[in-house]
Amino acid sequence: DSGVTQTPKHLITATGQRVTLRCSPRSGDLSVYWYQQSLDQGLQFLIQYYNGEERAKGNILERFSAQQFPDLHSELNLSSLELGDSALYFCASGPRTGSQETQYFGPGTRLLVL
Amino acid sequence: QKEVEQDPGPLSVPEGAIVSLNCTYSNSAFQYFMWYRQYSRKGPELLMYTYSSGNKEDGRFTAQVDKSSKYISLFIRDSQPSDSATYLCAFHKTGFQKLVFGTGTRLLVSP
């Protein structure tokens, strides 16, 4: 158990809908990272937050957004969903930014868009 | 050219075999090298984390980094059926937290 929690475990929804994925980092970690894992693209970095502020952006679509709250949990919002958004979404946490660090992954949310 | 190349496998070995997993990378700015293990339908689990060229050992696992060749390896000794999983190499640069992953190699260890 990495100490990172994610809810829900599974989500089934329809195209055009909006969903919210939630992540709680390990105790003491200030950084939260979101990744998308699909069969054809592998694990792709989406976005990073550090202590409530956005720090880095990767291949995140404009239809997707995220935020980190004062209690350090984070939410990833996916809107106008398309079939191709079906994937595993992982959250990872790490202790600090700007230095070498490891990232610990949560169990993921499996999203299926029908 | 992809930043990271990793053979997807599957790699099938008998129990007790020595397993060698490899990745090549093209970005010379990568300074940190990791191996993650991912069981089916689970999150990636950090196995090894190294900074410099050379070897790092942890139990049955040895990570090897050759920066001059841009090549990293993970060796698993005395492989067990419980080692059956997908192994992902990952990299990042100093000051940049984004991890760049290989596509993963699926390993199957048969009893």
Side-chain angles (χ1 to χ4, degrees), chain A:
Chain A
D1 185 354
S2 66
V4 178
T5 61
Q6 287 187 250
T7 56
K9 287 186 179 178
H10 304 279
L11 260 180
I12 301 176
T13 188
T15 55
Q17 295 298 305
R18 173 189 168 95
V19 297
T20 297
L21 314 183
R22 183 189 168 104
C23 166
S24 292
R26 295 186 315 158
S27 177
D29 282 355
L30 299 179
S31 281
V32 169
Y33 309 79
W34 286 97
Y35 291 84
Q36 180 192 57
Q37 187 176 39
S38 58
L39 281 174
D40 56 344
Q41 293 287 327
L43 260 169
Q44 299 286 319
F45 169 73
L46 295 177
I47 196 164
Q48 179 208 358
Y49 277 81
Y50 173 75
N51 204 21
E53 294 187 3
E54 182 185 306
R55 278 302 175 101
K57 254 185 175 178
N59 304 320
I60 188 166
L61 299 171
E62 285 192 12
R63 300 183 285 109
F64 296 180
S65 64
Q67 54 184 328
Q68 186 179 27
F69 295 86
D71 66 352
L72 301 177
H73 91 271
S74 178
E75 293 181 355
L76 179 67
N77 300 296
L78 314 177
S79 61
S80 303
L81 285 167
E82 301 175 359
L83 296 177
D85 297 327
S86 296
L88 269 168
Y89 290 84
F90 288 105
C91 163
S93 76
R96 58 191 182 276
T97 189
S99 64
Q100 63 184 73
E101 63 180 64
T102 53
Q103 294 179 25
Y104 297 89
F105 283 75
T109 293
R110 185 174 293 272
L111 173 66
L112 180 59
V113 182
L114 300 175

